[in-house]
Amino acid sequence: SQTIHQWPATLVQPVGSPLSLECTVEGTSNPNLYWYRQAAGRGLQLLFYSVGIGQISSEVPQNLSASRPQDRQFILSSKKLLLSDSGFYLCAWSVLRSGNTIYFGEGSWLTVV
Amino acid sequence: ELKVEQNPLFLSMQEGKNYTIYCNYSTTSDRLYWYRQDPGKSLESLFVLLSNGAVKQEGRLMASLDTKARLSTLHITAAVHDLSATYFCAVPYFGAGSYQLTFGKGTKLSVIP
């Protein structure tokens, strides 16, 4: 069965510091991968998606970036965090087959102070 | 641009009562997804509705899809406290070779004794 792991689960970072969130998927190959953000009390915003290694599309301009160095690895980064980057970050995956459900990781809580 | 609207956004209901959450979307889609999110947790897939007239039920929750009206409903029967959570509907679209979901803002359900 497929599983998705995301880490770290929680982090508190000062403004201007770098960020790296990592996500890996097991049990499937060539998945679509996604990074979503959920600000406190708000809906989900798609930040990045990837259809393959090295292929990243950005949905929203910001100081975040994403990379996919391996088929089942997706990384969210920032060189300098802003206060507005605080939120709940969710990695997700899907494969193009019947149902096409998108499955979410456990999430990472980021607080920028 | 695909828009997904849920109502109500907040719902407080007594145990044992029935209620319906509505999800409207703006462009043609033959499928729709419902997710549940517990406080501080990630999203869990609830229902996948894959065609017009599709109906899925699990426990006290029943979801349906009317693609002609671009409307999905999530009906709660005889609510219990364990159903307290935020419920999201999501509609897919294919953009730039990738499969994505656009989410509603969520309905925060509180079931009170």
PDB file of all heavy atoms in Angstrom, chain B residues 46-58:
ATOM      1  N   LEU B  46     -12.812  11.193   2.401  1.00  0.00           N
ATOM      2  CA  LEU B  46     -14.087  10.624   2.831  1.00  0.00           C
ATOM      3  C   LEU B  46     -14.812   9.928   1.687  1.00  0.00           C
ATOM      4  O   LEU B  46     -15.170   8.768   1.776  1.00  0.00           O
ATOM      5  CB  LEU B  46     -14.999  11.722   3.379  1.00  0.00           C
ATOM      6  CG  LEU B  46     -14.856  12.160   4.828  1.00  0.00           C
ATOM      7  CD1 LEU B  46     -15.862  13.267   5.118  1.00  0.00           C
ATOM      8  CD2 LEU B  46     -15.027  10.991   5.772  1.00  0.00           C
ATOM      9  N   PHE B  47     -15.090  10.694   0.659  1.00  0.00           N
ATOM     10  CA  PHE B  47     -15.866  10.163  -0.455  1.00  0.00           C
ATOM     11  C   PHE B  47     -15.252  10.605  -1.778  1.00  0.00           C
ATOM     12  O   PHE B  47     -14.742  11.718  -1.900  1.00  0.00           O
ATOM     13  CB  PHE B  47     -17.311  10.679  -0.414  1.00  0.00           C
ATOM     14  CG  PHE B  47     -18.080  10.253   0.796  1.00  0.00           C
ATOM     15  CD1 PHE B  47     -18.446  11.184   1.759  1.00  0.00           C
ATOM     16  CD2 PHE B  47     -18.454   8.929   0.969  1.00  0.00           C
ATOM     17  CE1 PHE B  47     -19.159  10.800   2.879  1.00  0.00           C
ATOM     18  CE2 PHE B  47     -19.173   8.536   2.090  1.00  0.00           C
ATOM     19  CZ  PHE B  47     -19.523   9.469   3.049  1.00  0.00           C
ATOM     20  N   VAL B  48     -15.363   9.722  -2.751  1.00  0.00           N
ATOM     21  CA  VAL B  48     -15.000  10.033  -4.121  1.00  0.00           C
ATOM     22  C   VAL B  48     -16.254   9.808  -4.958  1.00  0.00           C
ATOM     23  O   VAL B  48     -16.763   8.687  -5.036  1.00  0.00           O
ATOM     24  CB  VAL B  48     -13.860   9.135  -4.620  1.00  0.00           C
ATOM     25  CG1 VAL B  48     -13.512   9.476  -6.054  1.00  0.00           C
ATOM     26  CG2 VAL B  48     -12.659   9.266  -3.714  1.00  0.00           C
ATOM     27  N   LEU B  49     -16.759  10.860  -5.560  1.00  0.00           N
ATOM     28  CA  LEU B  49     -17.977  10.784  -6.370  1.00  0.00           C
ATOM     29  C   LEU B  49     -17.549  10.917  -7.824  1.00  0.00           C
ATOM     30  O   LEU B  49     -17.020  11.950  -8.228  1.00  0.00           O
ATOM     31  CB  LEU B  49     -18.949  11.893  -5.973  1.00  0.00           C
ATOM     32  CG  LEU B  49     -19.343  11.893  -4.484  1.00  0.00           C
ATOM     33  CD1 LEU B  49     -20.088  13.159  -4.125  1.00  0.00           C
ATOM     34  CD2 LEU B  49     -20.189  10.665  -4.171  1.00  0.00           C
ATOM     35  N   LEU B  50     -17.792   9.886  -8.596  1.00  0.00           N
ATOM     36  CA  LEU B  50     -17.185   9.808  -9.926  1.00  0.00           C
ATOM     37  C   LEU B  50     -18.144  10.012 -11.083  1.00  0.00           C
ATOM     38  O   LEU B  50     -17.730   9.933 -12.244  1.00  0.00           O
ATOM     39  CB  LEU B  50     -16.478   8.461 -10.092  1.00  0.00           C
ATOM     40  CG  LEU B  50     -15.298   8.229  -9.156  1.00  0.00           C
ATOM     41  CD1 LEU B  50     -14.727   6.836  -9.376  1.00  0.00           C
ATOM     42  CD2 LEU B  50     -14.219   9.285  -9.389  1.00  0.00           C
ATOM     43  N   SER B  51     -19.427  10.256 -10.826  1.00  0.00           N
ATOM     44  CA  SER B  51     -20.342  10.435 -11.946  1.00  0.00           C
ATOM     45  C   SER B  51     -21.591  11.153 -11.483  1.00  0.00           C
ATOM     46  O   SER B  51     -21.886  11.247 -10.290  1.00  0.00           O
ATOM     47  CB  SER B  51     -20.718   9.081 -12.543  1.00  0.00           C
ATOM     48  OG  SER B  51     -21.382   8.292 -11.583  1.00  0.00           O
ATOM     49  N   ASN B  52     -22.349  11.623 -12.457  1.00  0.00           N
ATOM     50  CA  ASN B  52     -23.602  12.298 -12.140  1.00  0.00           C
ATOM     51  C   ASN B  52     -24.549  11.314 -11.451  1.00  0.00           C
ATOM     52  O   ASN B  52     -24.719  10.188 -11.901  1.00  0.00           O
ATOM     53  CB  ASN B  52     -24.250  12.836 -13.414  1.00  0.00           C
ATOM     54  CG  ASN B  52     -25.492  13.624 -13.108  1.00  0.00           C
ATOM     55  OD1 ASN B  52     -25.531  14.402 -12.161  1.00  0.00           O
ATOM     56  ND2 ASN B  52     -26.535  13.430 -13.905  1.00  0.00           N
ATOM     57  N   GLY B  53     -25.141  11.757 -10.346  1.00  0.00           N
ATOM     58  CA  GLY B  53     -26.048  10.893  -9.619  1.00  0.00           C
ATOM     59  C   GLY B  53     -25.372   9.971  -8.625  1.00  0.00           C
ATOM     60  O   GLY B  53     -26.044   9.210  -7.928  1.00  0.00           O
ATOM     61  N   ALA B  54     -24.054  10.040  -8.532  1.00  0.00           N
ATOM     62  CA  ALA B  54     -23.342   9.165  -7.601  1.00  0.00           C
ATOM     63  C   ALA B  54     -23.748   9.484  -6.170  1.00  0.00           C
ATOM     64  O   ALA B  54     -23.927  10.650  -5.803  1.00  0.00           O
ATOM     65  CB  ALA B  54     -21.841   9.338  -7.757  1.00  0.00           C
ATOM     66  N   VAL B  55     -23.901   8.447  -5.401  1.00  0.00           N
ATOM     67  CA  VAL B  55     -24.235   8.577  -3.994  1.00  0.00           C
ATOM     68  C   VAL B  55     -23.343   7.611  -3.216  1.00  0.00           C
ATOM     69  O   VAL B  55     -23.237   6.437  -3.569  1.00  0.00           O
ATOM     70  CB  VAL B  55     -25.716   8.254  -3.710  1.00  0.00           C
ATOM     71  CG1 VAL B  55     -25.994   8.327  -2.203  1.00  0.00           C
ATOM     72  CG2 VAL B  55     -26.628   9.211  -4.464  1.00  0.00           C
ATOM     73  N   LYS B  56     -22.711   8.134  -2.177  1.00  0.00           N
ATOM     74  CA  LYS B  56     -21.880   7.298  -1.329  1.00  0.00           C
ATOM     75  C   LYS B  56     -22.302   7.533   0.129  1.00  0.00           C
ATOM     76  O   LYS B  56     -22.616   8.665   0.511  1.00  0.00           O
ATOM     77  CB  LYS B  56     -20.402   7.655  -1.482  1.00  0.00           C
ATOM     78  CG  LYS B  56     -19.810   7.334  -2.860  1.00  0.00           C
ATOM     79  CD  LYS B  56     -19.506   5.878  -2.969  1.00  0.00           C
ATOM     80  CE  LYS B  56     -18.809   5.541  -4.279  1.00  0.00           C
ATOM     81  NZ  LYS B  56     -17.420   6.029  -4.306  1.00  0.00           N
ATOM     82  N   GLN B  57     -22.277   6.448   0.889  1.00  0.00           N
ATOM     83  CA  GLN B  57     -22.663   6.573   2.292  1.00  0.00           C
ATOM     84  C   GLN B  57     -21.672   5.835   3.158  1.00  0.00           C
ATOM     85  O   GLN B  57     -21.207   4.748   2.815  1.00  0.00           O
ATOM     86  CB  GLN B  57     -24.073   6.030   2.529  1.00  0.00           C
ATOM     87  CG  GLN B  57     -24.551   6.172   3.976  1.00  0.00           C
ATOM     88  CD  GLN B  57     -26.033   5.939   4.136  1.00  0.00           C
ATOM     89  OE1 GLN B  57     -26.726   5.602   3.188  1.00  0.00           O
ATOM     90  NE2 GLN B  57     -26.538   6.158   5.334  1.00  0.00           N
ATOM     91  N   GLU B  58     -21.368   6.451   4.286  1.00  0.00           N
ATOM     92  CA  GLU B  58     -20.561   5.789   5.298  1.00  0.00           C
ATOM     93  C   GLU B  58     -21.036   6.265   6.657  1.00  0.00           C
ATOM     94  O   GLU B  58     -20.900   7.443   7.000  1.00  0.00           O
ATOM     95  CB  GLU B  58     -19.078   6.078   5.127  1.00  0.00           C
ATOM     96  CG  GLU B  58     -18.222   5.348   6.160  1.00  0.00           C
ATOM     97  CD  GLU B  58     -16.740   5.435   5.852  1.00  0.00           C
ATOM     98  OE1 GLU B  58     -16.378   5.634   4.677  1.00  0.00           O
ATOM     99  OE2 GLU B  58     -15.942   5.333   6.801  1.00  0.00           O
TER     100      GLU B  58
END
